[in-house]
Amino acid sequence: MRRAFAVALAAVVAMLTTTPSAWADVELTASSPAAGAELAAAPEKIALTFSVPIDPDLAVIWVSCGSTTWRVGAITANGSTLNMPVTPTGPTGRCRVQFNVITDDEEALQGEVGFTLRGPVAGTRPAPQAAAPTPAPNSDPITGGDLPYWVKVLLGVLALGMLAAGTVVLRRGRRPPGGW
C-alpha cells in the first residue's frame, strides 16, 4: 500500500511540475511570406495561420528588417488566419515576423518567421524607430502557460487529498502498543 501511495504521489508531482508540449493545442501552421522565403518584392500584407482560431484583439504582430521596424495596420482574422497589412520601410535583407497570440482557452504562443527580402523597398527612407512591442514571457504567471488555472487547482487538491489519505493509511498500519 505504501508503494502504491508513493507512486501515485510521484505521478501527481511530476504532472504538476512538467509542461509537456503535447498539452499545447495552438501552433503556427502556415505563414505568408513562408518561413525561409526569398522575396523579390516586399509583401503588402502578412498572414499567419494557426491550428485554432485566434481573436485579433489578443494578437500582436510586428515585422522588422535589420534594425528597422515596418509600419503595420490593424490585424484582422479570417477563420484561423490572422492578416495584417504592412508598409515596408528600411533596408532589404533578413526580415522577421514576430508574434504573440493568446487563444480563447488562454493558451499563449509566441514565435517568429524569417524571410529574406532581395528586391527594393518603396520609400527606403527608414521610419523613425518606434519601440517594438515586448514579447510576452513564455508562461503566464497565473496559468503557467501550459494548463488552465482551474486544472492546476484541481490537481493540487487531488494531490493533497491523496497525501492525507496516505497519511491515514500509514498511521493505521503502525498502531502503538495498547491501541489508540
Side-chain angles (χ1 to χ4, degrees):
M1 187 66 154
R2 289 182 198 165
R3 186 171 286 143
F5 173 71
V7 168
L9 183 60
V12 169
V13 168
M15 190 173 9
L16 289 173
T17 58
T18 60
T19 58
S21 61
W23 288 344
D25 294 331
V26 63
E27 61 184 33
L28 181 68
T29 59
S31 67
S32 176
E38 292 198 19
L39 306 177
E44 293 181 9
K45 76 172 189 168
I46 301 295
L48 301 175
T49 303
F50 296 91
S51 56
V52 297
I54 304 289
D55 182 347
D57 292 334
L58 300 177
V60 176
I61 303 171
W62 64 100
V63 183
S64 60
C65 286
S67 62
T68 304
T69 302
W70 290 5
R71 293 183 193 105
V72 298
I75 300 171
T76 59
N78 183 7
S80 58
T81 300
L82 295 177
N83 297 295
M84 181 182 70
V86 294
T87 303
T89 56
T92 59
R94 177 90 172 119
C95 300
R96 298 182 322 166
V97 177
Q98 296 173 287
F99 62 88
N100 287 331
V101 297
I102 299 175
T103 68
D104 291 338
D105 295 336
E106 297 180 356
E107 289 185 62
L109 177 66
Q110 67 181 20
E112 73 177 54
V113 176
F115 65 93
T116 303
L117 181 57
R118 298 280 182 215
V121 175
T124 57
R125 194 181 87 223
Q129 280 294 333
T134 303
N138 282 335
S139 62
D140 182 27
I142 295 175
T143 65
D146 54 342
L147 286 176
Y149 182 71
W150 67 269
V151 172
K152 286 190 171 191
V153 170
L154 180 65
L155 290 173
V157 169
L158 229 157
L160 288 175
M162 289 177 65
L163 183 62
T167 302
V168 168
V169 167
L170 290 176
R171 284 187 175 236
R172 287 190 178 167
R174 296 185 188 153
R175 291 183 184 225
W180 281 347

